[in-house]
Amino acid sequence: MNRLSAEAKKVFASLPEPGVMESLRDLVRPRSLECVQVEVSSRCVGKCSYCPHTVNAQSWKSRDMSLETYALLWPALRCAERVHLQGWGEPFLNPHFFDFAELARRAGCRVSTTTCGMVMDEGMAEKIVESGIDVVAFSLSGTDSATGSARAGISFEKLDKSVRLLQAVRKKRVAVHLEIHIAYMLLASQVQAIRCLPELMEKWSAHAAVVSTMDYIPSMELASEAFLPHQREKIEAARVMLRQAGERIRASGREFYSSLPAEKPTGGCRERAHKTVYVDAEGTLSPCVYLNVPAEEQARTRVAFGSIREKSILEILSGAECRAFRAGTQSTHPPEACLACPKRFEVFCS
């Protein structure tokens, strides 16, 4: 526990260490959860036009997860392949972020996060490399200041410096375990910017890029920025540009993933909600991040199975309601909350 803060050492002290037999079983037996996504903070310095944090600013619940709440995740961490430390906010705003990463690694999990890059400095870059985190994804919606203008409050120049700083520290420390990814939001109004992504990835020495569309539409005024299943001409035009960018990126030895909606549901959930789980900053367990937005306007769409502060997380996961919902996400007759979800239509672009 040397990497833990003094406060975290006290809070995590009672957590049971995995025994020898348990550690050996981990080597041969797959874990039951592919990923536990944890909203370590719902606070953010950005005011991106397409984010519910901006659209629902008046009723937004800004909060950080506490050490005590995170400790209650321990049984699930021991069952998870990966922990993704990010929800509806900037994860590095939580002062306990690196304590969370350390506990996840002690549980045997791979650890990743997604950041806007606005709070990066040399000290943080050093901590990231030392922490053993294996993926840091930087979010963006354009390849320069002009095409990324939807991300108000996010300086593209600062983002550029943040990525290059982390890469410099990673290379200095020969931190081959750490990969720098790009989490790219493809907005319909700026679709042409994707053509410059190969050059940006080359400049940043990024290992991979994942291009998503606006799966969560916080207001109908933003619907034009999304790619809806019936908009075939719009989708096919974007597919051509994504394919061209993808070919160039893969030719450089980097990874590239993108998806667009098909006309009909694919029969499953691309979030793989049957194998993953989302826990918000207050400890509420939900199927995914889209069904637990911390704003009053989104309360009617919220799906919650319980609070880990009131009941064991494994008890919640084994409950009939939770098991039925998660299994249903993979069927042709999903739960009502999932019927119109874009994740049911998405297919990877070749």
Side-chain angles (χ1 to χ4, degrees):
M1 295 220 181
N2 291 338
R3 291 175 178 163
L4 293 175
S5 66
E7 185 180 357
K9 286 180 181 178
K10 292 179 181 179
V11 175
F12 299 159
S14 62
L15 299 179
E17 292 280 347
V20 175
M21 293 305 297
E22 191 177 0
S23 298
L24 289 174
R25 282 196 297 269
D26 280 345
L27 297 175
V28 297
R29 186 179 63 188
R31 294 188 170 198
S32 57
L33 289 169
E34 290 179 358
C35 181
V36 176
Q37 183 175 359
V38 184
E39 181 187 60
V40 294
S41 180
S42 62
R43 297 185 293 131
C44 189
V45 298
K47 297 180 180 179
C48 302
S49 63
Y50 52 84
C51 181
H53 178 266
T54 302
V55 176
N56 303 133
Q58 295 303 312
S59 68
W60 191 259
K61 295 180 181 179
S62 294
R63 65 270 171 100
D64 289 346
M65 178 172 278
S66 68
L67 287 167
E68 291 76 13
T69 298
Y70 189 79
L72 297 172
L73 289 170
W74 178 252
L77 300 186
R78 291 292 299 133
C79 300
E81 295 284 349
R82 173 175 295 281
V83 174
H84 187 68
L85 297 173
Q86 185 257 344
W88 291 108
E90 168 53 49
F92 289 120
L93 289 177
N94 190 315
H96 300 300
F97 177 89
F98 291 102
D99 291 323
F100 297 160
E102 176 64 14
L103 190 67
R105 292 197 69 239
R106 290 179 64 81
C109 304
R110 297 190 299 277
V111 184
S112 54
T113 191
T114 303
T115 176
C116 67
M118 294 301 101
V119 294
M120 184 73 66
D121 57 23
E122 188 166 357
M124 179 171 288
E126 293 279 357
K127 286 183 178 180
I128 290 171
V129 170
E130 292 172 359
S131 71
I133 294 173
D134 64 292
V135 173
V136 174
F138 289 88
S139 57
L140 61 157
S141 64
T143 49
D144 54 28
S145 295
T147 56
S149 61
R151 291 169 64 78
I154 306 296
S155 164
F156 194 88
E157 289 73 20
K158 168 62 175 173
L159 173 61
D160 175 67
K161 291 179 181 178
S162 294
V163 178
R164 289 190 288 109
L165 173 61
L166 182 56
Q167 279 288 24
V169 174
R170 185 185 75 85
K171 291 174 182 177
K172 181 180 69 175
R173 294 292 195 89
V174 197
V176 295
H177 66 278
L178 176 62
E179 292 192 358
I180 308 300
H181 290 196
I182 291 175
Y184 193 103
M185 174 66 74
L186 185 69
L187 300 177
S189 65
Q190 299 293 344
V191 68
Q192 76 287 345
I194 204 72
R195 293 193 177 104
C196 298
L197 186 57
E199 288 80 9
L200 185 63
M201 291 185 70
E202 182 75 27
K203 175 184 176 182
W204 286 349
S205 299
H207 296 82
V210 178
V211 180
S212 304
T213 56
M214 200 162 66
D215 298 320
Y216 185 85
I217 304 174
S219 72
M220 291 313 298
E221 289 77 9
L222 291 165
S224 62
E225 292 285 15
F227 293 84
L228 304 178
H230 67 277
Q231 298 174 325
R232 301 320 301 171
E233 185 175 345
K234 181 179 179 181
I235 289 169
E236 293 310 313
R239 191 187 308 279
V240 170
M241 283 184 269
L242 286 168
R243 183 178 296 121
Q244 292 172 346
E247 288 173 353
R248 293 169 58 200
I249 290 168
R250 294 188 187 102
S252 70
R254 295 178 169 84
E255 296 180 39
F256 178 79
Y257 306 94
S258 63
S259 58
L260 287 167
E263 288 189 75
K264 297 180 180 179
T266 62
C269 166
R270 212 167 69 76
E271 284 289 287
R272 296 183 60 77
H274 67 302
K275 288 288 187 179
T276 63
V277 68
Y278 176 73
V279 181
D280 73 13
E282 294 179 337
T284 301
L285 190 148
S286 295
C288 70
V289 65
Y290 302 107
L291 291 176
N292 191 348
V293 179
E296 290 304 319
E297 291 88 343
Q298 311 305 329
R300 63 182 181 81
T301 62
R302 189 169 298 129
V303 175
F305 300 126
S307 170
I308 64 173
R309 296 193 295 187
E310 299 172 359
K311 187 184 293 187
S312 162
I313 187 168
L314 296 186
E315 187 179 349
I316 296 173
L317 285 170
S318 63
E321 179 189 6
C322 185
R323 287 191 293 109
F325 190 103
R326 295 173 74 218
T329 62
Q330 293 302 110
S331 74
T332 54
H333 300 287
E336 184 177 355
C338 303
L339 285 173
C341 179
K343 290 295 183 183
R344 295 185 60 234
F345 293 80
E346 284 183 0
V347 293
F348 284 111
C349 298
S350 58

